């Protein structure tokens, strides 16, 4: 910011280093060869972006439903289960008995080599605590939660706790995408 000195002595007494940019220079105008080069670059620099597991959206989040789906996935070559919208999966739950029940299902999935995660309505189509909502042009809550509010601090901590305690491998989020103003 203004008044910040960056020079031989560094930034506040330490060496400051900018972000890095990588440039892939193609050796040909052949589109197929360029595509191969781009894919190799991504595999080298950030291999996680090349993952594309075969997954099943499951709408029965009961322990018996998950166990059945895990067995089906194991038998048919699916690699992951997403507990889908409408399953009653509650990643915002703080009920330790519920979290333990989900963790037992996750453990069973892992024992069969299946990754498992869940859908979570992150922002859209909901009204949360006072001060935690986005506002519409009329100044009233517009049905989206503000992910830059005090409410969201607890929300993120709760979701992280759920993922950590259950052993979930993935989260499929719905939102944020409104671009609406927050109260906070």
């Amino acid at each position: 910011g203004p008044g910040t000195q960056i020079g031989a002595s560094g930034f506040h007494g330490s060496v400051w280093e900018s972000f890095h940019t990588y440039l892939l220079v193609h050796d040909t105008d052949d589109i197929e060869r360029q595509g191969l080069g781009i894919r190799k670059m991504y595999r080298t620099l950030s291999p996680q972006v090349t993952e594309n597991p075969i997954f099943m959206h499951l709408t029965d989040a009961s322990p018996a439903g998950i166990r059945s789906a895990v067995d089906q996935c194991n038998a048919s070559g699916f690699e992951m289960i997403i507990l889908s919208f409408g399953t009653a999966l509650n990643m915002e739950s703080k009920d330790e008995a519920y979290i333990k029940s989900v963790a037992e299902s996750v453990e069973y999935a892992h024992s069969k080599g299946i990754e498992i995660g869940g859908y979570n309505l992150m922002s859209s189509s909901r009204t949360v605590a006072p001060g935690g909502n986005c506002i519409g042009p009329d100044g009233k809550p517009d049905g989206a939660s503000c992910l830059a509010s005090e409410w969201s601090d607890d929300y993120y901590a709760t979701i992280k706790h759920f993922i950590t305690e259950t052993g979930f491998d993935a989260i499929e989020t719905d939102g944020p995408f409104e671009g609406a103003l927050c109260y906070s």
Side-chain angles (χ1 to χ4, degrees):
T4 300
Q5 298 296 316
I6 300 176
S9 63
F11 180 72
H12 294 288
S14 63
V15 176
W16 183 79
E17 187 175 323
S18 178
F19 61 87
H20 296 260
T21 301
Y22 297 94
L23 177 66
L24 176 62
V25 180
H26 297 289
D27 62 353
T28 179
D29 61 358
D30 177 51
I31 292 174
E32 187 169 334
R33 184 165 169 82
Q34 288 180 1
L36 290 169
I38 291 168
R39 286 190 291 281
K40 182 169 185 176
M41 177 193 68
Y42 281 120
R43 280 194 315 272
T44 303
L45 296 178
S46 103
Q48 67 275 15
V49 302
T50 65
E51 293 182 14
N52 191 14
I54 300 170
F55 64 91
M56 169 193 289
H57 268 269
L58 179 62
T59 57
D60 180 359
S62 70
I66 294 171
R67 185 174 286 263
S68 175
V70 166
D71 293 340
Q72 289 175 36
C73 287
N74 190 35
S76 61
F78 280 71
E79 302 164 300
M80 179 184 282
I81 294 172
I82 300 290
L83 301 176
S84 194
F85 178 78
T87 61
L89 172 69
N90 185 4
M91 294 178 73
E92 296 177 48
S93 175
K94 296 180 181 182
D95 178 358
E96 292 300 324
Y98 174 73
I99 292 170
K100 183 179 181 209
S101 172
V102 174
E104 289 169 357
S105 294
V106 171
E107 186 177 329
Y108 180 74
H110 289 167
S111 76
K112 300 288 185 173
I114 305 297
E115 294 180 322
I116 190 166
Y119 166 91
N120 193 50
L121 180 61
M122 190 175 195
S123 169
S124 182
S125 306
R126 68 189 289 183
T127 300
V128 296
N133 297 297
C134 290
I135 55 173
D138 60 0
K140 296 179 181 173
D142 75 346
S145 54
C146 174
L147 298 177
S149 65
E150 285 185 32
W151 168 85
S152 70
D153 295 339
D154 181 62
Y155 167 81
Y156 285 122
T158 301
I159 296 298
K160 287 178 188 176
H161 175 76
F162 186 90
I163 291 169
T164 301
E165 293 301 310
T166 60
F168 262 21
D169 302 294
I171 180 172
E172 180 179 66
T173 62
D174 193 344
F177 30 67
E178 258 71 74
L181 299 174
C182 289
Y183 274 129
S184 54

